[in-house]
């Protein structure tokens, strides 16, 4: 079906910290923090889409690893998946976001507690929290 939308987001972890990006749009999500990414285009694999999205949004090249366990279906026709990504070249900068932030377990916990995460990303945030905590 052409109206099936798949969104892929990147879990970029480095040195015990997770990269989060603050959305600038749409209005209801502006100011909230997410795993960066976007829609898989026709003909792309999720991994290819993530490489393209993180190049467009963060100006870096990444290699894509495993998917996170959480698959989010907020409404019919929309599925969100997250995949691990490692920066292979470049330094992240906020091309399309309001800001970027590297968070440790405490920083991520704070964003979750204060309702500062994009709601659809909460399952991934909790999953990644476990990994940040054991370090
Ligand atoms: N979305 C939710 N969490 C995320 C991402 C990357 C995207 N981590 C949602 C927000 C939009 C839709 O998916 O409704 C498409 O994302 P984008 O192309 O606006 O980034
Ligand atoms: Mg995006």
């Amino acid at each position: 079906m052409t109206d099936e939308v798949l969104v892929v987001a990147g879990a970029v972890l480095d040195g015990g910290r997770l990269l989060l990006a603050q959305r600038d749009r749409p209005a209801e999500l502006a100011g909230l923090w997410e795993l960066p990414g976007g829609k898989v285009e026709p003909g792309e694999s999720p991994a290819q889409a993530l490489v393209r999205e993180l190049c467009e949004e963060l100006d870096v090249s990444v290699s894509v690893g495993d998917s996170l366990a959480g698959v989010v279906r907020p409404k019919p026709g929309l599925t969100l998946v997250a995949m691990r990504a490692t920066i292979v070249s470049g330094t992240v900068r906020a091309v399309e976001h309001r800001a970027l932030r590297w968070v440790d377990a405490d920083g991520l916990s704070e964003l979750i507690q204060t309702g500062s995460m994009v709601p659809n990303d909460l399952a991934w945030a909790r999953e990644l929290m476990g990994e940040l905590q054991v370090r």
Side-chain angles (χ1 to χ4, degrees), residues 79-115:
T79 304
L80 296 90
V81 298
M83 302 178 82
R84 295 171 193 280
T86 305
I87 297 166
V88 293
S89 74
T91 303
V92 291
R93 65 185 183 93
V95 180
E96 296 180 9
H97 288 87
R98 213 172 258 191
L100 301 178
R101 227 183 119 167
W102 291 94
V103 294
D104 60 11
D106 288 345
L108 182 56
S109 174
E110 166 90 12
L111 291 174
I112 295 171
Q113 302 302 324
T114 56

Side-chain angles (χ1 to χ4, degrees), residues 25-106:
R25 64 182 172 82
E28 61 270 25
L29 297 179
L32 300 180
W33 295 84
E34 69 170 5
L35 303 188
K39 292 173 190 154
V40 179
E41 304 280 359
E44 276 182 336
S45 68
Q48 286 170 337
L50 187 58
V51 168
R52 176 184 51 73
E53 284 286 345
L54 297 191
C55 180
E56 291 171 358
E57 296 191 346
L58 307 175
D59 196 24
V60 291
S61 294
V62 300
S63 67
V64 176
D66 292 342
S67 299
L68 298 190
V71 175
V72 186
R73 284 191 146 276
K75 59 183 182 186
L78 177 62
T79 304
L80 296 90
V81 298
M83 302 178 82
R84 295 171 193 280
T86 305
I87 297 166
V88 293
S89 74
T91 303
V92 291
R93 65 185 183 93
V95 180
E96 296 180 9
H97 288 87
R98 213 172 258 191
L100 301 178
R101 227 183 119 167
W102 291 94
V103 294
D104 60 11
D106 288 345

